[in-house]
């Protein structure tokens, strides 16, 4: 079965004014769709096409040489956007409970976490993503141990053994229509639409 775009939980204009409707429409309908089409083309006839995209990305080193770059770029682009949409909500409410404690333990406070995450998003030269992850399954502790990292292009944290919890797309296509070159404003606005409930749910699943 070829991969298909997930249905969005919200309308294109639901995240206004922080993420504008036109950007959502083009980002989902054009950029994300193109990654989806291209990974489907790359994996035609391959047994990997039958696997969930997350499993494919976790096994990037096992993908045949002639397909590995396409999987890394288009498979990564497909999976990263699938994940990104679940990180967004028009009904954002601050994190609470055990997940908030984990952020505090790992970074000092929620504000300190945000500051570090913003620095990571702004520090990504060119296109890429900022991520909040579990460092790796073997490093997991019951509380804390969260890590921020930025990765270039469409590289997935899954390919380096990390477990993603939250991400932010800092490709220009994610913000240029509204924010032009002002990535910092876009990154600040992101906090208004983070789906913390979903991030916390993922965190509790990994405990
Ligand atoms: Mn994007």
């Amino acid at each position: 079965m070829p991969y298909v775009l997930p249905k969005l939980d919200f309308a294109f204009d639901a995240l206004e004014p922080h993420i504008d409707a036109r950007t959502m429409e083009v980002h989902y309908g054009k950029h994300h769709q193109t990654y989806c089409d291209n990974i489907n083309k790359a994996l035609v006839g391959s047994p990997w096409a039958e696997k969930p995209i997350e499993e494919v990305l976790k096994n990037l080193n096992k993908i045949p040489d002639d397909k590995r770059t396409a999987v890394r770029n288009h498979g990564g682009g497909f999976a990263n956007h699938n994940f990104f949409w679940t990180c967004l909500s028009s009904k954002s409410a601050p994190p609470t409970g055990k997940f908030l404690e984990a952020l505090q333990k790992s970074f000092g406070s929620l504000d300190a976490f945000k500051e570090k995450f913003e620095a990571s998003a702004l520090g990504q030269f060119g296109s890429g993503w900022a991520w909040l992850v579990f460092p790796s399954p073997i490093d997991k502790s019951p509380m804390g141990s969260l890590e921020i990292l930025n990765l270039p292009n469409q590289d997935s944290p899954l390919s380096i053994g990390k477990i993603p919890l939250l991400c932010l797309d800092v490709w220009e296509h994610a913000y240029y229509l509204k924010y032009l070159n002002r990535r910092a404003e876009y990154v600040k606005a992101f906090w208004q639409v983070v789906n913390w409930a979903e991030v916390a749910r993922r965190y509790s699943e990994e405990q």
Side-chain angles (χ1 to χ4, degrees):
M1 282 286 285
Y3 298 117
V4 293
L5 292 201
K7 286 237 182 310
L8 289 180
D9 285 344
F10 49 83
F12 288 144
D13 63 357
L15 309 176
E16 292 265 12
H18 313 292
I19 298 178
D20 62 290
R22 181 70 180 140
T23 295
M24 274 306 306
E25 188 181 347
V26 175
H27 201 174
Y28 175 83
K30 304 291 183 191
H31 292 277
H32 194 185
Q33 186 66 58
T34 302
Y35 290 118
C36 183
D37 294 345
N38 285 338
I39 187 60
N40 283 330
K41 273 183 219 153
L43 290 183
V44 164
S46 162
W48 289 102
E50 305 304 316
K51 312 267 189 204
I53 193 64
E54 293 79 12
E55 194 180 331
V56 177
L57 291 167
K58 280 178 194 168
N59 291 284
L60 197 56
N61 56 348
K62 296 184 193 150
I63 306 295
D65 288 350
D66 63 332
K67 295 192 188 303
R68 191 176 305 121
T69 300
V71 167
R72 181 175 179 169
N73 292 338
H74 306 300
F78 174 61
N80 290 346
H81 288 88
N82 289 350
F83 194 88
F84 183 43
W85 310 136
T86 68
C87 294
L88 303 174
S89 170
S90 59
K91 300 180 192 77
S92 180
T96 56
K98 281 199 181 330
F99 175 64
L100 176 61
E101 285 171 31
L103 285 175
Q104 289 165 336
K105 185 150 183 174
S106 299
F107 305 107
S109 68
L110 177 60
D111 282 347
F113 157 71
K114 286 182 177 177
E115 212 171 282
K116 202 170 171 205
F117 189 90
E118 285 176 26
S120 177
L122 294 176
Q124 172 58 46
F125 182 76
S127 297
W129 297 71
W131 296 90
L132 173 68
V133 298
F134 273 121
S136 79
I138 48 165
D139 289 341
K140 264 197 291 177
S141 66
M143 191 63 77
S145 291
L146 304 181
E147 184 187 325
I148 290 168
L149 56 105
N150 51 294
L151 293 173
N153 304 314
Q154 296 294 355
D155 287 1
S156 168
L158 296 169
S159 302
I160 51 171
K162 315 279 185 182
I163 300 169
L165 296 175
L166 171 71
C167 68
L168 176 60
D169 189 345
V170 293
W171 282 60
E172 281 190 345
H173 69 228
Y175 62 88
Y176 202 85
L177 289 179
K178 179 178 170 73
Y179 295 96
L180 300 178
N181 62 331
R182 303 185 303 275
R183 186 190 286 188
E185 275 181 43
Y186 160 70
V187 171
K188 282 263 185 233
F190 170 63
W191 300 124
Q192 303 301 316
V193 292
V194 173
N195 187 352
W196 287 114
E198 175 60 16
V199 180
R201 189 196 62 74
R202 271 198 280 268
Y203 172 77
S204 65
E205 240 177 28
E206 296 300 334
Q207 289 305 291

